[in-house]
Amino acid sequence: MKRYSGFSLFKNAFSYHENWEKVWRSPVPKKEYDVIVVGGGGHGLATAYYLAKEHGITNVAVIEKGYLGGGNTARNTTIIRSNYLWDEAAQLYELSLKLWEGLSKELNYNVMFSQRGVLNLGHNLQDMRDIERRVNANRLNGIDGEVVTPERIKEIAPLINISPNCRYPILGASWQPRGGTARHDAVAWGYARAADALGVDMIQQTEVIGIRRKDGAVVGVETSKGFIGARKVACVTAGSSGLVAGMAGLRLPVESRPLQALVSEPVKPCLDTVVMSNAVHGYVSQSDKGDLVIGAGVDSYNGYGQRGSFNIIEHTVQAICELFPAFSRIQMNRQWGGIVDTCPDACPIISKTSVDGLYFNCGWGTGGFKATPGSGFVFADTVANDRPHPLAAAFNIGRFNTGALIDEHGAAGVAH
Amino acid sequence: MLLIYCPHCLEYREEEEFSYGGEAHISRPVDPEKLTDEEWGDYLFFRKNPKGIHHEMWFHSSGCRRYFNVTRDTLTYEILETYEVGCTPKITGISS
């Protein structure tokens, strides 16, 4: 892998940038791999990268039915934060945030991680009690955060409406300065490039259609391009997780639903932070390109159509106009949906399964992007050592039968 | 936006009048105390999540406030039938 640097940029300018090395190879699949990662999104690519880098397992393939980073990695609103209430979740997301902080340097790829801060607004007394509780819990876990007043919110985001006379007045917020956004595509590309350099094969346009087992253990995957052997299979397939689990005769407590996002026309810089609200139900930030990136709730019913219901969009823009009356004049450019796998407790499943050599990392629901590095890190460790990483142990699939759920619904300041 | 036919009101109404009730045809265990943790967890949390034909409950929350069942394709979103709770669906199997 040729390193990217100011010098390489300068050098390539002489050949009109036509001779850059391919970012990753497109190899013919080998007959057998030590580990096959099913799903080439951010989490899958991060898993492959950390398998190679942290555990020296380089005979790895990432099998993707479409193209790398073309699913939810490309469809989310790129918000990164770690202000979760419960210890298990907070520690996992905080590990992720710490990895984000060094990621561009580590991958030699600019993921445009921007720690512009995240505000989670409170609009009633119960919101404020929850926010205070969550901020206190965060600080006990070593995560930055503070409770801020409406006046301070106005300083951070001057266009916001803090009038006490509006329908859902803003009473305060939690503020995590280390939170922010990143360039979603770059995360996938950066991990893919770094993993490829360590010897991981990226197999695109290849769909896994079956998981072959022998004596209760995985021996490989059937794909649209034939059988590929593997000692271990790690599934990171988000909205399709239920279908992939079904191929191995397993059931997962996940339901797949569309989560939508939309972006406006590009405008001059007007919002240099991330604003989220549970109560009016919307979140907004401004990308470096200038467009407002807006998201909100997940559809209330199961679906695999990557679009979502119109009424959700309607409620979303209502919420944004409530918070930022000035945005009511901005036109929306594009809207799309991604299929998220929601868990009953709004926490992921990072787990071994009852099939030897088969692992699942799924159930991230509506908030997986921020966890990309940490998810890959703990999952790679779980797969490499065939036991849960200490931070992943609580996220085993058995919790739905023991009852040890990690109830992050609402508690996390998640806006859905 | 789905247009859902309510078998009680005998009319098509917009999706926003309804709320989703999840997978249909799940019967509550008669004697929960006798179940193992696996069986109880399965009953509480494990749902079918098909890409294709799905039988699901809907509640006409802004209308007659009664539950009914819908057979819907989760990929095309086509509603194939609606029927009252307690009836069996005419359409089963996987489409798409």
Side-chain angles (χ1 to χ4, degrees):
Chain A
M1 179 179 88
K2 289 198 179 115
R3 283 186 65 79
Y4 291 155
S5 64
F7 177 70
S8 71
L9 191 66
F10 185 71
K11 199 175 85 179
N12 276 281
F14 284 109
S15 54
Y16 303 98
H17 297 293
E18 286 173 354
N19 295 319
W20 285 97
E21 177 188 64
K22 285 249 191 247
V23 181
W24 52 78
R25 300 162 292 130
S26 299
V28 177
K30 296 181 203 164
K31 282 209 167 59
E32 189 167 17
Y33 289 93
D34 290 340
V35 180
I36 283 180
V37 177
V38 183
H43 289 233
L45 294 165
T47 304
Y49 169 72
Y50 290 114
L51 274 172
K53 176 170 172 272
E54 300 290 330
H55 305 283
I57 303 173
T58 56
N59 187 22
V60 175
V62 176
I63 300 186
E64 165 59 43
K65 73 174 171 186
Y67 54 92
L68 299 183
N72 294 346
T73 302
R75 294 161 193 268
N76 65 84
T77 48
T78 76
I79 297 168
I80 294 163
R81 57 189 178 85
S82 63
N83 54 356
Y84 280 66
L85 175 69
W86 300 106
D87 292 352
E88 297 86 352
Q91 286 164 11
L92 182 61
Y93 289 102
E94 178 61 13
L95 166 73
S96 209
L97 183 49
K98 286 192 173 132
L99 288 169
W100 276 113
E101 286 172 334
L103 199 59
S104 290
K105 194 174 175 195
E106 174 168 355
L107 298 179
N108 180 232
Y109 202 100
N110 186 5
V111 298
M112 296 167 74
F113 179 49
S114 158
Q115 291 180 297
R116 56 185 67 187
V118 175
L119 282 168
N120 289 100
L121 304 176
H123 299 262
N124 54 51
L125 286 177
Q126 188 57 46
D127 276 0
M128 291 314 299
R129 288 187 200 110
D130 290 343
I131 282 171
E132 280 169 31
R133 180 187 181 205
R134 179 162 50 77
V135 167
N136 285 329
N138 290 159
R139 294 173 77 134
L140 287 170
N141 271 319
I143 296 166
D144 63 322
E146 58 183 298
V147 180
V148 291
T149 61
E151 290 70 33
R152 175 82 179 108
I153 295 170
K154 189 78 178 165
E155 282 173 27
I156 297 169
L159 283 178
I160 204 164
N161 179 16
I162 56 163
S163 160
N165 298 323
C166 60
R167 188 169 172 192
Y168 301 104
I170 293 168
L171 301 186
S174 72
W175 169 238
Q176 187 182 19
R178 283 166 64 240
T181 58
R183 171 83 200 280
H184 47 3
D185 297 323
V187 178
W189 298 336
Y191 271 121
R193 174 170 172 268
D196 177 88
L198 293 169
V200 174
D201 285 356
M202 305 294 157
I203 317 287
Q204 301 186 76
Q205 305 288 334
T206 305
E207 185 171 1
V208 169
I209 50 178
I211 295 173
R212 195 183 286 183
R213 289 153 289 152
K214 198 174 170 188
D215 304 327
V218 155
V219 292
V221 296
E222 313 281 354
T223 75
S224 51
K225 292 183 182 164
F227 175 76
I228 305 174
R231 293 198 299 114
K232 293 176 177 176
V233 173
C235 302
V236 203
T237 49
S240 301
S241 293
L243 304 173
V244 176
M247 293 172 192
L250 300 173
R251 294 173 72 208
L252 295 174
V254 297
E255 291 189 294
S256 299
R257 295 180 178 182
L259 176 65
Q260 298 177 73
L262 58 162
V263 292
S264 73
E265 59 192 335
V267 290
K268 288 192 173 178
C270 59
L271 179 66
D272 61 356
T273 185
V274 181
V275 178
M276 312 180 75
S277 168
N278 268 352
V280 301
H281 212 157
Y283 37 91
V284 59
S285 62
Q286 188 176 23
S287 74
D288 293 346
K289 202 168 63 181
D291 29 17
L292 297 174
V293 184
I294 294 169
V298 67
D299 272 15
S300 68
Y301 49 88
N302 294 10
Y304 286 86
Q306 287 177 316
R307 45 185 188 272
S309 309
F310 181 73
N311 54 325
I312 301 277
I313 298 260
E314 201 176 357
H315 292 310
T316 306
V317 292
Q318 279 169 357
I320 299 306
C321 293
E322 168 81 15
L323 298 175
F324 295 94
F327 291 171
S328 65
R329 306 297 293 275
I330 290 178
Q331 300 183 61
M332 292 301 143
N333 240 356
R334 291 179 292 123
Q335 167 273 343
W336 62 89
I339 305 305
V340 299
D341 44 339
T342 54
C343 256
D345 60 355
C347 272
I349 298 166
I350 307 169
S351 186
K352 293 174 65 172
T353 65
S354 56
V355 178
D356 276 349
L358 182 65
Y359 307 83
F360 265 88
N361 180 358
C362 63
W364 289 93
T366 54
F369 177 74
K370 68 176 84 66
T372 304
S375 159
F377 191 90
V378 299
F379 192 47
D381 187 83
T382 302
V383 173
N385 299 309
D386 193 38
R387 55 105 187 90
H389 181 278
L391 291 185
F395 298 95
N396 68 78
I397 193 170
R399 74 179 189 269
F400 298 98
N401 294 111
T402 62
L405 303 184
I406 306 156
D407 184 13
E408 281 289 354
H409 264 301
V414 282
H416 17 76
Chain B
M1 180 78 78
L2 299 176
L3 274 180
I4 302 174
Y5 183 81
C6 174
H8 305 296
C9 301
L10 305 177
E11 275 182 31
Y12 285 95
R13 298 289 181 85
E14 284 184 5
E15 169 187 334
E16 279 214 282
E17 283 193 21
F18 300 88
S19 42
Y20 185 63
E23 184 185 334
H25 305 297
I26 297 174
S27 47
R28 186 182 165 84
V30 179
D31 193 354
E33 294 296 326
K34 287 206 175 126
L35 297 188
T36 63
D37 285 352
E38 273 64 38
E39 289 166 332
W40 183 241
D42 281 1
Y43 163 68
L44 284 182
F45 298 122
F46 286 74
R47 296 287 176 265
K48 287 179 188 151
N49 190 25
K51 189 177 191 173
I53 300 267
H54 191 225
H55 303 290
E56 55 199 20
M57 292 190 293
W58 284 80
F59 178 52
H60 199 174
S61 43
S62 302
C64 62
R65 301 197 56 77
R66 292 171 76 185
Y67 274 93
F68 58 95
N69 291 340
V70 171
T71 305
R72 187 174 60 91
D73 189 312
T74 58
L75 185 60
T76 64
Y77 292 13
E78 186 185 0
I79 292 173
L80 302 160
E81 60 176 332
T82 58
Y83 54 100
E84 290 187 36
V85 173
C87 300
T88 47
K90 290 194 187 77
I91 298 160
T92 53
I94 307 290
S95 78
S96 305

